[in-house]
């Protein structure tokens, strides 16, 4: 495995980032994620939730990325010094997907978002790239850097003196220009409106579509569900306008294909649908959802009062009718969601699709939009992730602490890649000197993919080896423990490699008996 083989990614827990992580791991690309803690959830637990969602989708365990605690708005991304050093040693490229999606004017935001994240945070990431000597940069932008332009927008066009619908669009164009002044190996991806029709992370459903529906629902609540076409007329639209909508999984597939092919780098790509979705399809979908809900409500509830029209008594309560000014304000808010999108040139994208044999963006019609709204409305059922660590291996890591790569015996150092829950990526081996009274082996987080000899297993099987439920030879013969050796180290021989792994496992068993007992007891304590 070559040096500096990791991809450093931001925004992994976002809509596009989530799919990028899954696509890259399925293609065997080693990943390191910069993730911030939330008020109630650590960055590690956030990634574990993400991995549980991805594994539920693909139906099998996945390798774990390296997780680095950090935040875009902090100096140096808030990375610990050893993590920044690890990035410099292991990462060869950056995929920047993190962004503030604030559509409010920056001057109304107490922290000047979206510029704080999208520009100031980007500068911190660029400085990390400079100090780490990372020259390959992939940036997830937006097709709407074109602002309010109409007609045909070319992929190689940027600042054309356009006006912007909001500061988010402006900040993304500013970011593109900033990056182009530093990175020669810059690749820019401009997706249009991104939705996740599968919705296995429901809280990341597209805000544009759902917010538009929310305004429609608000107006319908007081004025009745309008017939299809009425809203378009009220907004002074022709009804033939288009909105360009693409799916998150398709966007991720194209981005990862480009990353994997250096001949496609250094270009700008419109990740858009060739024609877009008719405005009437949005209106039909909104009408269908509200009509279905109204019918279900009538079937399932006995009304206390038969008068249920706008302005009448409903269930014995007089609704507060909004003023015409309020209604007009909502209509004004609604209008931008239905504005006609320009035609996005796809010259560069088409070359990728033809060369790689990939399909154009899938159609998004009434059925897909209805599903998107209803699933977002239902809310997300989170995959349960225990806050208590019940993994022997993770307990060992917590007990011993994670060291740097200094101090390993070169001939007894291995990469360790564990997939499934509590999996991850480590370097493990014997120390040149005894590191403590109870251990002769060392653990370094990350870098396992770069080692010439690598151990691959599920996290549960690795736990089984440590506590004595499994033996190395059996797992190897069953294909559950894979020992990989780079070509230039094949002379060492598989038998020698396996014997060294046996010795390592035996020494670990001896060193962690006390830890093992504590973990087993905590598991049975309920």
């Amino acid at each position: 495995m070559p040096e500096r083989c990791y991809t450093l990614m931001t925004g992994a827990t976002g809509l596009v980032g989530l799919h990028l992580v899954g696509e890259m791991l399925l293609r065997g690309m080693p990943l390191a994620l910069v993730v911030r803690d939330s008020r109630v959830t650590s960055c590690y637990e956030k990634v574990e939730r993400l991995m549980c969602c991805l594994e539920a989708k693909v139906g099998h365990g996945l390798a774990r990325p390296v997780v680095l605690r950090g935040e875009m708005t902090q100096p140096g991304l808030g990375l610990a010094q050893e993590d920044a050093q690890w990035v410099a040693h292991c990462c060869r490229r950056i995929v920047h997907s993190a962004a503030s999606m604030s559509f409010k004017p920056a001057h109304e935001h107490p922290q000047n978002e979206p510029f704080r994240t999208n520009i100031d945070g980007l500068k911190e990431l660029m400085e990390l790239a400079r100090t780490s000597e990372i020259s390959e940069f992939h940036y997830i932008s937006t097709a709407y850097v074109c602002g309010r332009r109409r007609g045909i927008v070319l992929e190689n066009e940027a600042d054309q003196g356009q006006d912007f619908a909001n500061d988010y669009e402006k900040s993304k164009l500013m970011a593109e220009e900033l990056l182009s002044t530093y990175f020669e190996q810059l690749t820019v991806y401009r997706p249009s409106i991104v939705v996740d029709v599968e919705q296995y992370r429901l809280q990341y459903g597209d805000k544009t579509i759902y917010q538009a529906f929310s305004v429609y629902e608000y107006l319908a609540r007081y004025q009745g569900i309008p017939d299809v076409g009425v809203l378009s007329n009220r907004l002074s639209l022709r009804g033939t306008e288009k909105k360009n909508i693409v799916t998150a999984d398709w966007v991720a597939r194209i981005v990862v294909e480009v990353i994997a092919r250096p001949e496609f780098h250094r270009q700008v790509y419109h990740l858009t649908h060739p024609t877009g979705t008719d405005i009437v399809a949005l209106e039909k979908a909104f009408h269908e959802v509200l009509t279905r809900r109204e019918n279900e409500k009538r079937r399932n509830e006995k009304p206390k009062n038969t008068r249920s029209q706008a302005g009448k008594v409903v269930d014995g309560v007089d609704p507060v009718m909004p003023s015409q000014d309020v209604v007009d304000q909502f209509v004004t808010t609604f209008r931008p969601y239905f504005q006609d999108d320009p035609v996005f040139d796809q010259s560069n994208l088409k070359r990728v699709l033809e060369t790689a044999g990939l399909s154009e963006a899938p159609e998004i019609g009434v059925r897909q939009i209805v599903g998107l709204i209803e699933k977002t409305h239902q809310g997300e059922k989170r995959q349960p992730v225990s806050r208590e660590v019940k993994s022997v291996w993770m307990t060992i890591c917590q007990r011993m602490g994670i060291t740097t790569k200094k101090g390993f015996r070169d001939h007894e150092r291995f990469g360790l890649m564990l997939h499934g829950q509590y999996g991850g990526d480590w370097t493990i081996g014997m120390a040149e000197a005894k590191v403590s009274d109870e251990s002769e082996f060392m653990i370094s987080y990350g870098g396992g993919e770069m080692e010439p000899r690598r151990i691959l297993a599920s996290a549960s099987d690795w736990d089984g080896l440590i506590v004595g439920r499994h033996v190395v030879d059996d797992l190897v013969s069953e294909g559950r423990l894979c020992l990989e050796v780079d070509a230039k180290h094949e002379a060492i021989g598989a038998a020698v490699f396996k014997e060294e792994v046996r010795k390592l496992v035996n020494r670990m068993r001896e060193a962690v008996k006390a830890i093992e007992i504590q973990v087993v007891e905590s598991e049975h304590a309920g």
Side-chain angles (χ1 to χ4, degrees):
M1 189 66 62
E3 288 289 309
R4 296 170 69 98
C5 65
Y6 286 78
T7 296
L8 182 69
M9 182 188 296
T10 68
T13 58
L15 175 60
V16 174
L18 168 68
H19 287 268
L20 284 172
V21 170
E23 195 71 27
M24 295 183 77
L25 290 177
L26 286 172
R27 294 187 64 147
M29 296 180 175
L31 272 178
L33 311 178
V34 178
V35 182
R36 65 181 178 182
D37 292 337
S38 70
R39 287 178 297 176
V40 296
T41 308
S42 73
C43 59
Y44 307 107
E45 185 178 348
K46 288 168 72 174
V47 172
E48 192 57 45
R49 289 187 187 279
L50 180 154
M51 296 304 302
C52 288
C53 291
L54 291 172
E55 288 177 336
K57 179 186 178 183
V58 301
H60 59 77
L62 292 169
R64 260 42 179 181
V66 174
V67 182
L68 306 174
R69 179 183 283 109
E71 186 170 351
M72 287 295 299
T73 57
Q74 298 299 316
L77 303 188
L79 294 177
Q81 183 178 0
E82 57 270 23
D83 288 343
Q85 292 172 347
W86 184 90
V87 170
H89 179 69
C90 298
C91 295
R92 62 176 296 182
R93 70 170 66 91
I94 292 174
V95 175
H96 182 36
S97 181
S100 168
M101 294 290 291
S102 174
F103 291 160
K104 291 183 178 179
H107 66 82
E108 295 182 5
H109 195 283
Q111 295 179 315
N112 198 40
E113 293 290 4
F115 297 109
R116 177 173 178 252
T117 295
N118 297 352
I119 301 301
D120 298 339
L122 176 61
K123 290 177 181 178
E124 296 293 340
L125 182 59
M126 292 173 64
E127 177 62 16
L128 177 66
R130 185 191 67 79
T131 57
S132 303
E133 299 182 348
I134 299 174
S135 58
E136 183 183 333
F137 201 103
H138 298 261
Y139 179 53
I140 310 299
S141 184
T142 174
Y144 298 101
V145 294
C146 66
R148 300 181 187 272
R149 291 181 59 193
R150 294 293 176 260
I152 299 177
V153 176
L154 302 180
E155 286 173 305
N156 60 2
E157 290 180 327
D159 187 356
Q160 302 292 309
Q162 64 266 40
D163 294 326
F164 298 97
N166 50 62
D167 282 339
Y168 168 73
E169 296 175 356
K170 183 177 181 180
S171 72
K172 297 297 275 187
L173 180 60
M174 291 172 60
E176 285 190 19
E177 294 176 330
L178 184 62
L179 288 166
S180 66
T181 63
Y182 182 80
F183 291 98
E184 292 185 3
Q185 298 186 52
L186 172 64
T187 308
V188 177
Y189 309 87
R190 293 176 178 169
S192 52
I193 299 172
V194 182
V195 300
D196 186 357
V197 292
E198 295 180 6
Q199 288 278 291
Y200 62 96
R201 287 300 295 276
L202 293 173
Q203 83 270 30
Y204 291 124
D206 176 75
K207 294 181 179 179
T208 303
I209 301 297
Y210 195 72
Q211 285 178 354
F213 170 74
S214 298
V215 178
Y216 182 94
E217 184 180 30
Y218 179 87
L219 295 176
R221 177 183 176 187
Y222 295 105
Q223 301 185 345
I225 303 173
D227 293 334
V228 175
V230 171
L231 184 60
S232 296
N233 290 334
R234 184 169 183 182
L235 295 174
S236 301
L237 299 172
R238 303 183 306 275
T240 58
E241 289 82 0
K242 302 275 189 179
K243 297 306 294 183
N244 204 291
I245 307 173
V246 293
T247 61
D249 59 337
W250 179 82
V251 169
R253 198 173 306 122
I254 303 303
V255 171
V256 175
E257 188 67 37
V258 172
I259 291 173
R261 294 172 177 256
E263 66 270 25
F264 291 148
H265 294 181
R266 305 187 185 189
Q267 299 290 338
V268 178
Y269 296 97
H270 276 156
L271 304 188
T272 56
H273 191 276
T275 59
T277 299
D278 291 333
I279 288 293
V280 69
L282 291 175
E283 199 170 348
K284 284 180 178 178
F286 294 171
H287 184 276
E288 180 177 329
V289 171
L290 289 187
T291 302
R292 185 182 302 174
R293 289 182 186 175
E294 183 66 22
N295 291 338
E296 290 177 355
K297 182 178 179 181
R298 289 174 179 173
R299 285 195 303 268
N300 297 330
E301 294 182 2
K302 282 187 176 182
K304 298 178 182 178
N305 192 303
T306 57
R307 292 177 294 166
S308 59
Q309 297 167 351
K312 304 292 185 179
V313 176
V314 179
D315 291 341
V317 178
D318 289 326
V320 179
M321 284 293 292
S323 67
Q324 189 59 43
D325 289 343
V326 173
V327 173
D328 290 342
Q329 180 181 352
F330 270 83
V331 171
T332 301
T333 303
F334 198 39
R335 186 175 290 113
Y337 295 118
F338 274 56
Q339 292 287 339
D340 196 11
D341 276 350
V343 176
F344 295 106
D345 168 52
Q346 296 182 321
S347 300
N348 294 334
L349 174 65
K350 287 179 179 178
R351 284 193 288 271
V352 173
L353 298 179
E354 292 169 1
T355 304
L358 297 175
S359 302
E360 293 180 336
E363 294 289 337
I364 301 295
V366 174
R367 180 175 59 84
Q368 289 81 10
I369 297 169
V370 167
L372 175 72
I373 294 169
E374 290 188 333
K375 289 179 180 177
T376 305
H377 176 75
Q378 291 167 5
E380 180 188 17
K381 294 180 180 180
R382 288 191 172 186
Q383 294 286 342
V385 177
S386 173
R387 292 179 181 273
E388 179 185 1
V389 174
K390 294 183 179 180
S391 160
V392 179
W393 169 245
M394 292 300 292
T395 304
I396 294 171
C397 292
Q398 292 178 354
R399 174 74 172 270
M400 292 184 57
I402 307 300
T403 67
T404 65
K405 283 197 171 184
K406 295 179 180 179
F408 281 105
R409 300 178 199 166
D410 287 339
H411 65 288
E412 292 185 274
R413 187 175 73 188
F414 316 100
L416 177 63
M417 275 75 68
L418 304 179
H419 59 82
Q421 190 170 10
Y422 298 122
D425 174 4
W426 292 269
T427 302
I428 184 172
M430 304 308 298
E432 291 179 350
K434 202 167 186 179
V435 296
S436 71
D437 292 337
E438 53 184 26
S439 178
E440 293 180 294
F441 63 89
M442 295 173 57
I443 306 167
S444 174
Y445 193 55
E449 289 278 3
M450 297 164 59
E451 291 300 318
R453 296 187 294 169
R454 297 174 295 278
I455 305 168
L456 288 76
S458 71
S460 59
D461 280 344
W462 187 250
D463 269 4
L465 283 174
I466 296 174
V467 300
R469 288 197 304 267
H470 306 312
V471 295
V472 170
D473 291 61
D474 289 346
L475 291 185
V476 170
S477 63
E478 294 170 9
R480 294 160 60 186
L481 182 67
C482 182
L483 308 180
E484 288 186 348
V485 183
D486 284 353
K488 63 181 181 180
H489 291 84
E490 285 181 347
I492 297 174
V496 174
F497 187 6
K498 187 160 62 172
E499 178 59 28
E500 290 178 349
V501 173
R502 283 196 210 99
K503 291 180 180 178
L504 177 64
V505 169
N506 288 335
R507 287 173 178 173
M508 290 177 65
R509 288 176 182 172
E510 295 173 1
V512 299
K513 287 180 180 178
I515 297 176
E516 176 186 335
I517 293 171
Q518 292 171 8
V519 171
V520 171
E521 287 178 347
S522 69
E523 288 182 337
H524 289 288

